[in-house]
Amino acid sequence: DKVLSVLNTTKTERCFFLSVPAAYQPTGKRRQRLSAGTATYADGKTVELVAFVLVVGPGQVMDVCRLPGLRRVSKAEIHSDIVDLLPPSERIPSHSTSSSEAKYFHFPLSKPDEKLDSAANAYFFCSQASGGLLTHFAHGSTYHALDFDAPVGTLVRAIEK
């Protein structure tokens, strides 16, 4: 079997975000099949993927999974994004706003086939908020990001300060 491994040749911790096609049949340590999710591209094409978020220490190698369904390594289509992890004290941007000065915003999201003020657009599930431990923890530039479980094509309106 082919083994997918990542290596961190740097002197700092790194976060590896990997997307592996489910067609490669990724398996875990005990050769159990790993659960896949569905991704939809901008052109509407959907694909089944297994996603990994890995924190790898300096100078470390991590075996991630086996890929028994991958026929030719030279044809592998594994997508990755790798970021250096900042020290914990630098990951969270500092703010001087006191709780009495805190501001709250309504996030104006609208399904493509609905009016912005319709009841159908009242709520979208926030799947990851500021400082989220899935991916937002990795870097100060993503720490305050928000992820919403909204259909592809959902309109996002700007908010003012």
Side-chain angles (χ1 to χ4, degrees):
D1 282 348
K2 294 154 188 82
V3 175
L4 173 62
S5 300
V6 295
L7 57 113
N8 178 1
T9 60
T10 69
K11 295 182 179 181
T12 61
E13 277 188 313
R14 294 190 113 180
C15 189
F16 292 74
F17 301 90
L18 306 176
S19 296
V20 179
Y24 298 164
Q25 303 167 1
T27 59
K29 187 160 93 173
R30 295 176 191 83
R31 297 188 187 266
Q32 78 280 14
R33 192 85 180 260
L34 300 177
S35 298
T38 303
T40 304
Y41 294 108
D43 65 3
K45 178 184 173 188
T46 61
V47 63
E48 299 249 337
L49 297 171
V50 175
F52 297 93
V53 179
L54 313 164
V55 176
V56 183
Q60 299 291 307
V61 176
M62 181 185 291
D63 291 336
V64 179
C65 65
R66 295 178 186 278
L67 301 171
L70 176 61
R71 301 291 170 233
R72 294 175 50 195
V73 173
S74 63
K75 301 287 184 181
E77 292 186 24
I78 297 171
H79 297 273
S80 66
D81 187 21
I82 304 166
V83 296
D84 290 331
L85 282 180
L86 296 172
S89 62
E90 294 179 33
R91 288 184 204 163
I92 304 171
S94 62
H95 296 284
S96 60
T97 305
S98 71
S99 60
S100 64
E101 297 172 327
K103 296 183 180 182
Y104 296 88
F105 298 98
H106 167 74
F107 291 95
L109 304 174
S110 178
K111 293 179 185 172
D113 56 347
E114 301 284 340
K115 292 183 180 180
L116 184 63
D117 60 353
S118 78
N121 295 307
Y123 300 98
F124 288 101
F125 177 70
C126 181
S127 57
Q128 187 174 194
S130 180
L133 296 179
L134 181 61
T135 56
H136 296 175
F137 71 92
H139 197 269
S141 66
T142 60
Y143 187 84
H144 291 291
L146 299 170
D147 295 344
F148 291 95
D149 186 9
V152 172
T154 297
L155 302 174
V156 179
R157 309 275 175 109
I159 60 173
E160 288 185 39
K161 284 188 173 188

